[in-house]
Amino acid sequence: MKPVRSLARVMLSGIFVVSGARNLMNPERLAAAAKPVTDRVTPLLERADPRIPTDTLTLIKVNSAVQLGAGLMLATGKLTRPAALVLAGTLVPVTIAGHPFWSNDDPTMRNNNQVHFLKNLGLFGGLLLAAADTEGKPSLRWRTGHRIGHSRSSVQRAVRTARREARIAVRSAATARRLPG
């Protein structure tokens, strides 16, 4: 399964590496489409930290750099689960800004944007699968539950042993009191 998993990650990350690099070098071509989304995000960013840049071109560059970096991480198998989650997060504004089929009057444009929107939705699903993939190892939730269960059993065993030892000690003390001495 390892070669299939590795190949799938490389294939899934390809679009993010290529478009991230392309958009990082030429963010101006996306500015008009991204402006309505960045205008909505700007107040949130300013509230979070006024030092965060909020101009459209900078936000496009940041998103592109994140896509490029996380795409390379996913492709190379480094921190794949967090990288997939980050890529899924960057895909949301890109899809909303780039493919708003609901606002197209032209049927051809509407259809084209709808296809790309659905393609990105499929990529989002693939990224969620990659983020949840434990590579055949038990999940963190299972391992935690297993450890808790194991610890609980150990504690119960220790309590039983302590009770048994206490009963033996009580019997020994009672026997010692009864013996003439």
Side-chain angles (χ1 to χ4, degrees), residues 4 12 15 18 34-35 40-41 58 61-62 67 72 74 77 96 120 126 132 139 152 168:
V4 172
L12 182 59
I15 185 76
V18 171
K35 184 119 176 76
R40 290 182 141 204
V41 172
T58 302
K61 288 178 184 178
V62 167
Q67 284 187 337
L72 288 171
L74 184 64
I96 292 170
N120 284 4
S139 70
R152 189 177 293 135
I168 292 170

Side-chain angles (χ1 to χ4, degrees), residues 18-75:
V18 171
S19 66
R22 183 181 301 143
N23 297 338
L24 190 58
M25 291 186 294
N26 188 11
E28 294 82 12
R29 67 185 189 83
L30 302 172
K35 184 119 176 76
V37 174
T38 59
D39 287 347
R40 290 182 141 204
V41 172
T42 294
L44 300 171
L45 294 175
E46 288 173 345
R47 260 188 264 137
D49 188 346
R51 297 172 295 179
I52 296 174
T54 57
D55 64 288
T56 301
L57 287 179
T58 302
L59 292 175
I60 291 170
K61 288 178 184 178
V62 167
N63 195 61
S64 301
V66 169
Q67 284 187 337
L68 176 61
L72 288 171
M73 288 170 61
L74 184 64

